[in-house]
Amino acid sequence: MSRANTPQSPEDGSFDAVVALIQAARREAVKAVNTQLIDLYWQVGAFISHKLERAEWGDAVVTQLADYLARTQPGLRGFTRRNLFRMRQFYETYRDNERVSALLTQLPWTHNLIILSQAKRLEEREFYLRLAIQEKWSSRELERQFKSALFERSVLNPAKATQAVTHNHPDALGVFRDAYMVEFLNLPDSHAEVDLHQGLLLKLKEFLIELGRDFCFVGSEYPLQVGGRDFALDLLFFHRGLNCLVALELKVGRFEPEYLGKLGFYLEALDRDERKSHENPAIGVLLCASKDDEVVEYALNRSLSPALIAEYQTRLPDKTLLEAKLHEFYTLNLAQGEDQ
C-alpha cells in the first residue's frame, strides 16, 4: 500500500488543527449557553419584578411559582424560591445602567451572584465585573479579591509611580497596585528576604494571578552583567499589554529612598542589553514590607526611572475598617463637590 493511502496517526500532530477547531467551538458553545442562561434569568427577574411592583403578585406567589416549576418541569434546576428572588434582585440592580448590564452575560451566574451579594456600590460592582472578565478569575479567586478589599484599596491607595512610568506607559497605573496580597505564602511575621523569594517561586501560579493575567514569568535572580561585574535581579517578568519587561526587587523591610538608585541601574541594564527592538522601556517595581507615603512621594518626584513602589502584605486587611474609610472618602468628596 502506498504511503498516500496509509491513515495518518494522531501522534504525528497533523490532526491538531481539527482538535483546535473542536475546542474553539466548544468554548463558543459554552459562552453561548451562558449568555442564554443569564438572559433567561434577567427576563424571569424582570417578569417577577413587574408583577410585584404592580401589586399583581405578593411574595407568596413567587413561592407558588417555584413549586409549580418543580412539579411541572422535573429535572429543572436553579428555580427555587430563593433563586427566583435573586433573579428579581439581579434585574432591579442593573436595569437602569446599560453600561454595566452589558457586562453581565460575560460572566457565569455564580460570579454574578458573588458580585451582586458582596458589592455595595454601583462603581464597586462595575469594578469587579470588569476585572473578573479581564482577569478570567475563578469564583474562588473572585471571593478572595473581595476578602482582600481590592476595590477599597484601589480607591483609597492607588498605585504610586514616577512620571517616567506614566509618560512611557500611560496605561500602567491601571495595571499595578499599591499593595499586593501574598497571604497564600503563610509567612511568619519575622521572615527573611530568602523566605519571601522562595515562597513566591513555590507559589508562582498564585502570585501571577495576584499580579494580573498579562504578567509572564521570565526568571529568578536574573543575571545582568555590566562592565566586569555580575548582578542578579530578584524577579523578572514580561507584561504583554504594556509590551515591556518588569523588574521586581524584594525588600523585607520598609522602603528606603536609596533603593530606587539600584533599581534604576537594573532598568538601564535591561533596556541596553535585554530589551528587544519592538518592546517598550522596562518598568521596575520595589516590593517592600512597608512604606511611608510621604517618603515615597518625595523619592518618586525626582526619580527619572520608570519605577513604582508597592507593599506586599502577608495578611488579608481589615475589610470593615477599609469600608469605613471608603465611606469617609466618598462623603468628603461629595461635600467638596457641593461646596464648589
Side-chain angles (χ1 to χ4, degrees), residues 322-336:
L322 286 176
E323 287 175 344
K325 289 184 177 180
L326 186 66
H327 179 73
E328 292 177 8
F329 174 83
Y330 278 118
T331 302
L332 180 60
N333 281 355
L334 180 63
Q336 289 177 346

Side-chain angles (χ1 to χ4, degrees), residues 3 6-17 19:
R3 181 175 176 79
T6 302
Q8 289 181 305
S9 167
E11 287 81 5
D12 66 8
S14 61
F15 297 163
D16 288 349
V19 172

Side-chain angles (χ1 to χ4, degrees), residues 103 106-107 111 115 123-138 141-142 145-146 148-154 173-177 209-213:
L103 304 172
Q106 298 181 52
L107 288 174
H111 288 59
I115 295 171
E123 55 268 34
E124 183 182 5
R125 294 190 190 100
E126 182 174 357
F127 174 87
Y128 283 110
L129 283 167
R130 293 191 182 280
L131 268 185
I133 294 167
Q134 173 187 308
E135 299 295 328
K136 294 181 170 41
W137 285 334
S138 65
E141 183 60 27
L142 178 58
Q145 295 298 345
F146 268 104
S148 77
L150 178 59
F151 173 71
E152 289 85 352
R153 291 188 289 116
S154 298
L173 292 185
V175 169
F176 296 96
R177 300 177 188 172
I209 293 174
E210 176 66 8
L211 287 175
R213 187 171 181 80

Side-chain angles (χ1 to χ4, degrees), residues 18-83:
V18 177
V19 172
L21 289 172
I22 294 171
Q23 291 176 342
R26 284 177 173 172
R27 287 193 294 270
E28 291 304 313
V30 169
K31 280 192 206 173
V33 169
N34 183 71
T35 297
Q36 292 177 352
L37 187 65
I38 301 301
D39 280 341
L40 172 61
Y41 290 166
W42 178 274
Q43 293 171 30
V44 172
F47 184 87
I48 294 173
S49 176
H50 294 152
K51 287 290 186 182
L52 293 174
E53 284 179 352
R54 296 167 186 163
E56 296 177 19
W57 283 9
D59 287 357
V61 180
V62 179
T63 303
Q64 294 171 17
L65 172 60
D67 293 339
Y68 177 79
L69 291 174
R71 187 172 65 254
T72 61
Q73 304 292 319
L76 182 67
R77 301 178 62 184
F79 288 86
T80 62
R81 177 185 184 278
R82 181 182 181 187
N83 281 341

